[in-house]
Short mmCIF file of all heavy atoms in Angstrom, two decimals:
data_model
loop_
_atom_site.label_atom_id
_atom_site.label_comp_id
_atom_site.label_asym_id
_atom_site.label_seq_id
_atom_site.Cartn_x
_atom_site.Cartn_y
_atom_site.Cartn_z
N ASP A 37 -10.80 20.39 -18.20
CA ASP A 37 -10.56 19.67 -16.96
C ASP A 37 -11.88 19.09 -16.42
O ASP A 37 -12.83 19.83 -16.19
CB ASP A 37 -9.93 20.66 -15.94
CG ASP A 37 -9.67 20.00 -14.60
OD1 ASP A 37 -9.88 18.78 -14.48
OD2 ASP A 37 -9.25 20.72 -13.69
N LYS A 40 -13.24 20.96 -13.27
CA LYS A 40 -13.91 22.26 -13.48
C LYS A 40 -15.27 22.05 -14.13
O LYS A 40 -16.27 22.68 -13.77
CB LYS A 40 -13.06 23.15 -14.37
CG LYS A 40 -11.81 23.72 -13.69
CD LYS A 40 -11.32 24.92 -14.44
CE LYS A 40 -10.10 25.55 -13.81
NZ LYS A 40 -8.86 24.82 -14.09
N ARG A 72 -62.73 26.76 -5.50
CA ARG A 72 -64.21 26.85 -5.35
C ARG A 72 -64.70 27.94 -6.29
O ARG A 72 -64.26 29.08 -6.23
CB ARG A 72 -64.58 27.16 -3.91
CG ARG A 72 -64.18 26.04 -2.97
CD ARG A 72 -64.88 26.15 -1.65
NE ARG A 72 -64.49 25.01 -0.79
CZ ARG A 72 -63.42 25.01 0.00
NH1 ARG A 72 -62.66 26.08 0.07
NH2 ARG A 72 -63.13 23.97 0.73
N VAL A 73 -65.63 27.57 -7.15
CA VAL A 73 -66.07 28.49 -8.22
C VAL A 73 -67.46 29.01 -7.87
O VAL A 73 -68.34 28.26 -7.47
CB VAL A 73 -66.11 27.74 -9.55
CG1 VAL A 73 -66.48 28.70 -10.66
CG2 VAL A 73 -64.77 27.09 -9.82
N GLN A 89 -53.97 31.49 -5.22
CA GLN A 89 -54.23 30.90 -6.53
C GLN A 89 -53.31 31.55 -7.56
O GLN A 89 -52.75 32.61 -7.35
CB GLN A 89 -55.69 31.03 -6.93
CG GLN A 89 -56.18 32.47 -6.88
CD GLN A 89 -57.64 32.53 -7.21
OE1 GLN A 89 -58.27 31.54 -7.57
NE2 GLN A 89 -58.23 33.69 -7.06
N THR A 99 -54.79 26.95 -15.80
CA THR A 99 -53.75 27.03 -16.83
C THR A 99 -52.39 27.16 -16.19
O THR A 99 -51.44 26.47 -16.55
CB THR A 99 -54.03 28.20 -17.75
OG1 THR A 99 -55.36 28.08 -18.25
CG2 THR A 99 -53.06 28.26 -18.92
N GLY A 109 -41.81 19.20 -13.34
CA GLY A 109 -41.44 17.88 -13.84
C GLY A 109 -40.34 17.92 -14.87
O GLY A 109 -39.35 17.20 -14.79
N PHE A 128 -16.54 14.75 -11.85
CA PHE A 128 -15.49 15.11 -10.94
C PHE A 128 -14.72 13.88 -10.45
O PHE A 128 -13.49 13.88 -10.39
CB PHE A 128 -16.07 15.87 -9.74
CG PHE A 128 -15.02 16.54 -8.90
CD1 PHE A 128 -14.68 17.87 -9.13
CD2 PHE A 128 -14.34 15.84 -7.91
CE1 PHE A 128 -13.70 18.48 -8.37
CE2 PHE A 128 -13.38 16.44 -7.15
CZ PHE A 128 -13.03 17.78 -7.39
N GLY A 135 -7.86 6.71 -10.88
CA GLY A 135 -6.43 7.06 -10.89
C GLY A 135 -5.99 7.64 -12.22
O GLY A 135 -4.82 7.52 -12.57
N ASN A 145 -16.01 16.21 -23.53
CA ASN A 145 -16.64 16.54 -22.27
C ASN A 145 -17.05 18.01 -22.24
O ASN A 145 -18.16 18.35 -21.80
CB ASN A 145 -15.64 16.24 -21.15
CG ASN A 145 -16.31 15.87 -19.85
OD1 ASN A 145 -17.52 15.65 -19.83
ND2 ASN A 145 -15.55 15.80 -18.77
N TYR A 152 -25.39 20.83 -23.09
CA TYR A 152 -26.31 20.93 -21.93
C TYR A 152 -26.79 22.37 -21.75
O TYR A 152 -27.99 22.61 -21.57
CB TYR A 152 -25.57 20.43 -20.67
CG TYR A 152 -26.37 20.58 -19.38
CD1 TYR A 152 -27.31 19.63 -18.99
CD2 TYR A 152 -26.19 21.71 -18.56
CE1 TYR A 152 -28.03 19.78 -17.84
CE2 TYR A 152 -26.91 21.85 -17.38
CZ TYR A 152 -27.83 20.90 -17.02
OH TYR A 152 -28.54 21.03 -15.87
N MET A 228 -12.74 -1.69 -8.87
CA MET A 228 -13.30 -0.35 -9.04
C MET A 228 -14.28 -0.06 -7.91
O MET A 228 -15.03 -0.96 -7.49
CB MET A 228 -14.05 -0.24 -10.36
CG MET A 228 -13.19 -0.46 -11.59
SD MET A 228 -14.05 0.07 -13.10
CE MET A 228 -15.60 -0.78 -13.02
N ARG A 260 -46.32 18.39 -34.76
CA ARG A 260 -46.78 19.69 -34.29
C ARG A 260 -46.72 20.73 -35.41
O ARG A 260 -47.61 21.49 -35.61
CB ARG A 260 -45.88 20.09 -33.11
CG ARG A 260 -46.18 21.36 -32.41
CD ARG A 260 -47.09 21.16 -31.22
NE ARG A 260 -48.21 22.06 -31.36
CZ ARG A 260 -49.12 22.28 -30.43
NH1 ARG A 260 -49.07 21.67 -29.29
NH2 ARG A 260 -50.09 23.12 -30.65
N GLU A 303 -20.73 4.09 -1.69
CA GLU A 303 -19.50 4.74 -1.23
C GLU A 303 -19.64 5.28 0.18
O GLU A 303 -18.79 5.05 1.04
CB GLU A 303 -19.11 5.90 -2.17
CG GLU A 303 -18.79 5.49 -3.59
CD GLU A 303 -17.69 4.45 -3.66
OE1 GLU A 303 -16.66 4.63 -2.99
OE2 GLU A 303 -17.89 3.45 -4.38
N PHE A 321 -23.01 -6.63 -10.19
CA PHE A 321 -23.80 -7.31 -11.19
C PHE A 321 -25.25 -6.89 -11.15
O PHE A 321 -25.95 -6.86 -12.18
CB PHE A 321 -23.67 -8.83 -11.04
CG PHE A 321 -22.34 -9.35 -11.52
CD1 PHE A 321 -21.53 -10.11 -10.71
CD2 PHE A 321 -21.88 -9.03 -12.80
CE1 PHE A 321 -20.30 -10.57 -11.14
CE2 PHE A 321 -20.65 -9.48 -13.25
CZ PHE A 321 -19.87 -10.25 -12.42
N THR A 354 -41.62 -6.75 -14.72
CA THR A 354 -41.38 -5.71 -13.73
C THR A 354 -40.97 -6.30 -12.40
O THR A 354 -40.10 -5.77 -11.70
CB THR A 354 -42.64 -4.84 -13.58
OG1 THR A 354 -42.95 -4.29 -14.85
CG2 THR A 354 -42.43 -3.74 -12.58
N THR A 361 -32.80 -4.92 -7.20
CA THR A 361 -32.88 -3.72 -6.38
C THR A 361 -32.95 -4.11 -4.90
O THR A 361 -32.25 -3.52 -4.07
CB THR A 361 -34.11 -2.90 -6.79
OG1 THR A 361 -34.11 -2.78 -8.19
CG2 THR A 361 -34.10 -1.55 -6.14
N TYR A 373 -23.05 -4.32 9.51
CA TYR A 373 -22.81 -5.31 10.53
C TYR A 373 -21.34 -5.30 10.96
O TYR A 373 -20.45 -5.42 10.14
CB TYR A 373 -23.23 -6.68 10.02
CG TYR A 373 -23.01 -7.81 10.95
CD1 TYR A 373 -23.66 -7.87 12.19
CD2 TYR A 373 -22.17 -8.87 10.61
CE1 TYR A 373 -23.48 -8.93 13.03
CE2 TYR A 373 -21.98 -9.95 11.45
CZ TYR A 373 -22.63 -9.96 12.68
OH TYR A 373 -22.44 -11.03 13.53
N ILE A 432 -31.58 12.62 -2.57
CA ILE A 432 -31.02 12.50 -1.23
C ILE A 432 -29.59 11.97 -1.31
O ILE A 432 -28.68 12.49 -0.66
CB ILE A 432 -31.90 11.58 -0.36
CG1 ILE A 432 -33.25 12.24 -0.06
CG2 ILE A 432 -31.20 11.17 0.93
CD1 ILE A 432 -33.19 13.46 0.79
N MET A 449 -14.30 22.50 4.60
CA MET A 449 -15.25 21.70 5.36
C MET A 449 -16.55 22.48 5.52
O MET A 449 -16.53 23.70 5.76
CB MET A 449 -14.70 21.35 6.74
CG MET A 449 -13.48 20.44 6.73
SD MET A 449 -13.71 18.88 5.86
CE MET A 449 -14.76 17.97 7.02
N CYS A 459 -30.35 17.88 7.15
CA CYS A 459 -30.75 16.53 6.74
C CYS A 459 -32.01 16.08 7.50
O CYS A 459 -32.91 15.49 6.91
CB CYS A 459 -29.61 15.56 7.00
SG CYS A 459 -30.00 13.89 6.51
N GLN A 493 -59.04 17.51 1.40
CA GLN A 493 -58.34 18.75 1.76
C GLN A 493 -57.37 18.57 2.92
O GLN A 493 -56.25 19.09 2.88
CB GLN A 493 -59.34 19.85 2.09
CG GLN A 493 -58.65 21.20 2.20
CD GLN A 493 -59.60 22.33 2.35
OE1 GLN A 493 -60.80 22.16 2.40
NE2 GLN A 493 -59.05 23.54 2.45
N ILE A 505 -41.49 22.50 5.09
CA ILE A 505 -40.37 22.05 5.92
C ILE A 505 -39.24 21.54 5.03
O ILE A 505 -38.08 21.85 5.21
CB ILE A 505 -40.82 20.94 6.89
CG1 ILE A 505 -42.01 21.41 7.74
CG2 ILE A 505 -39.67 20.48 7.76
CD1 ILE A 505 -42.62 20.33 8.60
N MET A 510 -33.84 22.35 2.56
CA MET A 510 -32.97 22.52 1.39
C MET A 510 -32.19 23.83 1.47
O MET A 510 -31.02 23.89 1.12
CB MET A 510 -33.81 22.50 0.11
CG MET A 510 -34.35 21.13 -0.25
SD MET A 510 -33.01 20.02 -0.68
CE MET A 510 -33.88 18.49 -0.85
N ALA A 584 -1.50 -15.71 8.94
CA ALA A 584 -0.95 -15.99 7.62
C ALA A 584 -1.69 -17.17 7.00
O ALA A 584 -1.98 -18.16 7.67
CB ALA A 584 0.54 -16.32 7.74
N GLY A 585 -2.00 -17.03 5.72
CA GLY A 585 -2.66 -18.11 5.01
C GLY A 585 -4.19 -18.04 5.07
O GLY A 585 -4.88 -18.62 4.25
N HIS A 589 -13.45 -14.09 3.35
CA HIS A 589 -14.57 -14.84 2.78
C HIS A 589 -15.14 -14.06 1.60
O HIS A 589 -15.33 -12.87 1.71
CB HIS A 589 -15.65 -15.04 3.83
CG HIS A 589 -15.17 -15.82 4.99
ND1 HIS A 589 -14.81 -17.14 4.91
CD2 HIS A 589 -14.88 -15.43 6.25
CE1 HIS A 589 -14.38 -17.53 6.09
NE2 HIS A 589 -14.38 -16.53 6.92
#
Side-chain angles (χ1 to χ4, degrees):
Chain A
D37 179 5
K40 287 200 179 78
R72 296 196 178 88
V73 184
Q89 55 184 353
T99 305
F128 193 95
N145 209 10
Y152 175 84
M228 299 194 307
R260 183 93 233 189
E303 296 304 313
F321 286 126
T354 301
T361 312
Y373 178 62
I432 292 293
M449 294 304 286
C459 180
Q493 191 173 1
I505 305 173
M510 288 292 174
H589 300 291

